[in-house]
Amino acid sequence: MCLLIITFMLVSLGKTATSVTQNNVLFIIVDDLRHLSKETINLPNIQSIAKSGVYFNNAFSQQALCAPSRNSMLTGRRPDTLRLYDFSSYWRDTVGNFTTLPQFFKENGYETYSVGKVFHPGPSSNFNDDYPLSWTHFPYHPSTDKYKDAAVCRDTTSKKLQKNLICPIDIFNQPEKTLPDLETLEYATNILSNRNSSTPFFLAVGFHKPHIPLKFPKQYLEKIPINKVKPPKHPNMPHNLPLVAWHPWTDIRKRDDIARLNISFPLGLMPSEWSLKIRQSYYAAASYVDDLIGALLSFVDRRKTIVVLTSDHGWSLGENGLWAKYSNFDVALKVPLIFSAPGIARSIVHAPVELVDIFPTLVDLSGIANNISKCRNNEKSLLCFEGKSLKLLMIEGSQKPGNYLAFSQYPRPSAYPQNKSDKPRLKNIKIMGYSVRTKRFRYTEWVSFNNKLFTIDWNIIYGLELYDHIIDSEESNNLYLVHKYKNIKQYLSGLLRAHFNRKNTHLY
Ligand SMILES: *[C@@H]1O[C@H](CO)[C@@H](O)[C@H](O)[C@H]1NC(C)=O
Ligand SMILES: *[C@@H]1O[C@H](CO)[C@@H](O)[C@H](O)[C@H]1NC(C)=O
Ligand SMILES: *[C@@H]1O[C@H](CO)[C@@H](O)[C@H](O)[C@H]1NC(C)=O
Ligand SMILES: *[C@@H]1O[C@H](CO)[C@@H](O)[C@H](O)[C@H]1NC(C)=O
Ligand SMILES: *[C@@H]1O[C@H](CO)[C@@H](O)[C@H](O)[C@H]1NC(C)=O
């Protein structure tokens, strides 16, 4: 109790201070980094930010795909509001001229910078990362981005250069003798060391790894000995899984090293030896990014800077036979989320929170505005929030009661897995999987979705799933038909439908 009061006083003092000099914001976004426990892999630099701030160990993305998740996070609106489930539309053209997170800071006197992958590049950010509305300076992308899919991985058996999934490399043999994330780090640290302006900054730094291909300096593989890598507890497709929940991970299958394994399409499984090798390389790639984050932080004055670290979504590493993102499972949706801010004491928050909460939380922490308004039905306002500020939760931590929920969704073109199931284009979407996560349960309904009217028919159901995290943390046992869960199932269905129905009444 005493500790809480002191914390609260510190925070209040911090707030008074911010009205004189505003804190900077460093927003670190790692591509496809799932939530990883300390028992799985040691990421000392990320852990060190967590130790100096608030670590949310149940943070969930709104959709396990880059562009919809990033646009949702950066506008504070859900995919249904943005009507973006693929890569092909820009919210300002299609739904509303909504203010973004960096734009909010820019309009409030900050210099804003985008370095690396922050918005998903391409049509969903107007081919210019939403410049100049979001950014003071032209967004930076590394020149070696163009070799992203080049055949640069030396195959261990044939010695040929290939487009492999697993791709430990020697930097000096790479085009331009560097890698995109090293260029991003250099550019960001140059900004931090050469800025001589007294205006506060909002610097967003987006690292590409551990997104596939798993290309990283080969010494990182030695940090993760293969005999220490554990297989998933449930490597097979669960017998009670509705097939609509499965996706065929085609981007993994088509890499040269994996294609050679002739895994049957769409339900075939990764051979267990390769499961371990992919896990090892994913951890190695995460460890590489962790080092870059450590280097970046050494250039930051933490007394004047709010540091946020997260990812766009998670990544399945063979759990239930699945790989990559593209689903509504915890492994695909759960991400690290850390806020480290002057005056906010260290804590761990277990309540489920969402990436749409980041925008209102940063507005709240910055002290720029204290009227953080929720979007109402038919809200056309350019600045309102579908998430909530997590500031109180940070201060009161697990003491704060309340029914916290995280909502997510994933589209499908058909109930049976096909090539387009991983990343359906809007015109092919026929089904939407809506999902809610409570502290204990995950509940999902796969229902009919109209891709022209953006309406849901809750009566046409393609699959239902209920997982109890107390007994099944890998979500491998669908309890939907188990009688004793009847009431909880009904309750969660009510919550889910009420939530997404409300969203669906948005009219523009
Ligand atoms: C969108 O908002 C920005 C910033 O307020 C403004 O400059 C721009 O003209 C608006 N665009 C449209 C199409 O209304
Ligand atoms: C730093 O200040 C000097 C002198 O005012 C100016 O010429 C220079 O461009 C500034 N550098 C940056 C990175 O803003
Ligand atoms: C995969 O199929 C090709 C062509 O049918 C064959 O040559 C190769 O040996 C197969 N590889 C494995 C690992 O089964
Ligand atoms: C707070 O209110 C002011 C004045 O009505 C408005 O300009 C601003 O956009 C609001 N800020 C937020 C975060 O809602
Ligand atoms: C789907 O992908 C599989 C495996 O990559 C391929 O063999 C098949 O031809 C594809 N089918 C269609 C309709 O594109």
Side-chain angles (χ1 to χ4, degrees):
M1 192 60 200
C2 203
L3 193 72
L4 273 179
I5 292 167
I6 294 167
T7 314
F8 191 72
M9 280 169 59
L10 281 175
V11 170
S12 317
L13 285 174
K15 199 173 169 192
T16 330
T18 55
S19 53
V20 186
T21 44
Q22 232 130 38
N23 284 321
N24 302 308
V25 178
L26 173 64
F27 189 84
I28 303 172
I29 171 159
V30 188
D31 208 0
D32 289 19
L33 180 64
R34 72 187 242 162
H35 180 273
L36 290 167
S37 70
K38 230 174 20 203
E39 294 68 44
T40 312
I41 178 188
N42 193 23
L43 299 172
N45 295 295
I46 294 177
Q47 278 147 19
S48 128
I49 312 175
K51 280 186 197 145
S52 68
V54 183
Y55 179 57
F56 289 88
N57 74 355
N58 276 301
F60 296 93
S61 162
Q62 272 47 76
Q63 188 186 325
L65 189 66
C66 296
S69 174
R70 285 168 192 255
N71 279 11
S72 167
M73 182 186 338
L74 293 166
T75 59
R77 320 259 174 162
R78 296 178 193 276
D80 276 354
T81 305
L82 300 179
R83 298 185 168 181
L84 177 69
Y85 315 102
D86 58 13
F87 298 91
S88 59
S89 67
Y90 176 50
W91 73 95
R92 296 191 199 269
D93 293 341
T94 52
V95 288
N97 193 15
F98 304 144
T99 302
T100 69
L101 170 61
Q103 182 186 355
F104 173 84
F105 280 89
K106 181 169 175 262
E107 289 175 355
N108 282 284
Y110 279 62
E111 257 185 275
T112 61
Y113 304 83
S114 170
V115 180
K117 185 172 171 186
V118 179
F119 277 103
H120 187 86
S124 60
S125 57
N126 201 29
F127 299 97
N128 59 10
D129 299 296
D130 198 41
Y131 176 83
L133 285 171
S134 284
W135 311 106
T136 317
H137 300 275
F138 195 75
Y140 169 79
H141 291 282
S143 65
T144 53
D145 269 359
K146 57 180 171 292
Y147 309 114
K148 189 173 126 194
D149 276 319
V152 294
C153 323
R154 179 81 55 190
D155 196 67
T156 42
T157 24
S158 69
K159 303 290 174 211
K160 279 198 301 225
L161 288 177
Q162 296 194 319
K163 298 182 180 188
N164 286 349
L165 174 65
I166 295 181
C167 189
I169 50 91
D170 184 341
I171 293 174
F172 298 100
N173 294 334
Q174 290 301 299
E176 300 178 32
K177 302 202 183 331
T178 185
L179 289 173
D181 286 341
L182 293 169
E183 290 190 88
T184 290
L185 172 67
E186 189 181 346
Y187 197 88
T189 55
N190 273 337
I191 291 172
L192 290 168
S193 36
N194 296 330
R195 265 185 111 252
N196 54 8
S197 146
S198 57
T199 49
F201 65 80
F202 177 102
L203 168 61
V205 182
F207 291 111
H208 284 286
K209 294 299 118 181
H211 192 290
I212 68 160
L214 301 170
K215 187 186 342 177
F216 51 86
K218 61 179 190 228
Q219 62 270 27
Y220 284 93
L221 213 48
E222 288 152 26
K223 293 174 78 172
I224 321 279
I226 191 87
N227 59 2
K228 294 264 161 60
V229 177
K230 293 198 183 83
K233 236 190 295 170
H234 299 281
N236 301 318
M237 183 200 281
H239 70 279
N240 50 18
L241 183 80
L243 276 179
V244 68
W246 172 275
H247 64 273
W249 33 277
T250 45
D251 57 349
I252 305 289
R253 288 165 193 271
K254 73 178 187 215
R255 306 298 308 178
D256 289 344
D257 47 352
I258 306 301
R260 271 205 313 261
L261 305 173
N262 299 342
I263 301 169
S264 70
F265 189 89
L267 305 181
L269 298 176
M270 187 68 70
S272 52
E273 177 202 346
W274 279 83
S275 284
L276 292 180
K277 288 207 263 192
I278 300 169
R279 289 168 84 97
Q280 176 193 30
S281 278
Y282 182 87
Y283 299 150
S287 175
Y288 159 56
V289 170
D290 182 73
D291 269 357
L292 304 183
I293 290 169
L296 176 63
L297 283 170
S298 67
F299 287 80
V300 176
D301 182 353
R302 302 287 291 279
R303 293 162 307 175
K304 289 194 280 196
T305 309
I306 300 169
V307 179
V308 186
L309 181 140
T310 193
S311 174
D312 47 0
H313 46 71
W315 219 76
S316 295
L317 283 167
E319 293 86 0
N320 293 342
L322 291 171
W323 295 90
K325 43 242 189 181
Y326 319 130
S327 81
N328 272 322
F329 288 106
D330 255 42
V331 281
L333 290 168
K334 193 165 166 175
V335 289
L337 176 61
I338 305 169
F339 285 85
S340 166
I344 299 276
R346 171 184 183 180
S347 69
I348 297 181
V349 175
H350 301 287
V353 299
E354 311 178 281
L355 293 185
V356 280
D357 298 336
I358 292 176
F359 189 170
T361 304
L362 274 174
V363 170
D364 204 2
L365 287 175
S366 71
I368 297 170
N370 41 24
N371 52 332
I372 293 176
S373 49
K374 268 244 172 238
C375 301
R376 294 180 307 270
N377 280 352
N378 303 321
E379 180 70 77
K380 292 191 186 72
S381 154
L382 301 187
L383 183 59
C384 67
F385 301 106
E386 295 186 10
K388 60 206 167 295
S389 169
L390 303 175
K391 188 173 162 189
L392 262 188
L393 201 54
M394 290 184 186
I395 296 165
E396 296 174 14
S398 45
Q399 279 85 351
K400 190 167 164 56
N403 194 11
Y404 287 87
L405 303 169
F407 293 96
S408 305
Q409 64 192 97
Y410 208 87
R412 294 276 185 244
S414 56
Y416 191 79
Q418 50 151 301
N419 289 19
K420 294 190 181 91
S421 295
D422 291 331
K423 293 183 268 192
R425 296 290 301 265
L426 177 61
K427 64 173 196 277
N428 298 315
I429 296 172
K430 302 269 169 44
I431 299 170
M432 192 65 77
Y434 287 106
S435 195
V436 59
R437 180 69 154 80
T438 69
K439 215 164 160 181
R440 175 167 174 185
F441 295 102
R442 172 169 296 288
Y443 177 72
T444 305
E445 297 193 6
W446 298 88
V447 293
S448 178
F449 179 84
N450 183 313
N451 60 30
K452 293 191 181 65
L453 302 173
F454 297 88
T455 49
I456 307 163
D457 188 341
W458 295 100
N459 296 318
I460 306 180
I461 298 173
Y462 296 88
L464 298 163
E465 297 168 82
L466 175 69
Y467 301 103
D468 182 348
H469 276 261
I470 287 189
I471 53 170
D472 177 27
S473 63
E474 282 197 6
E475 300 179 336
S476 298
N477 187 15
N478 183 3
L479 300 169
Y480 187 75
L481 291 173
V482 177
H483 187 74
K484 82 169 190 199
Y485 289 93
K486 195 166 135 254
N487 291 342
I488 186 73
K489 195 177 72 186
Q490 251 168 25
Y491 169 72
L492 293 173
S493 177
L495 279 182
L496 186 79
R497 292 176 180 210
H499 176 85
F500 284 106
N501 270 337
R502 184 160 41 93
K503 291 298 144 217
N504 224 42
T505 60
H506 280 242
L507 298 166
Y508 297 100

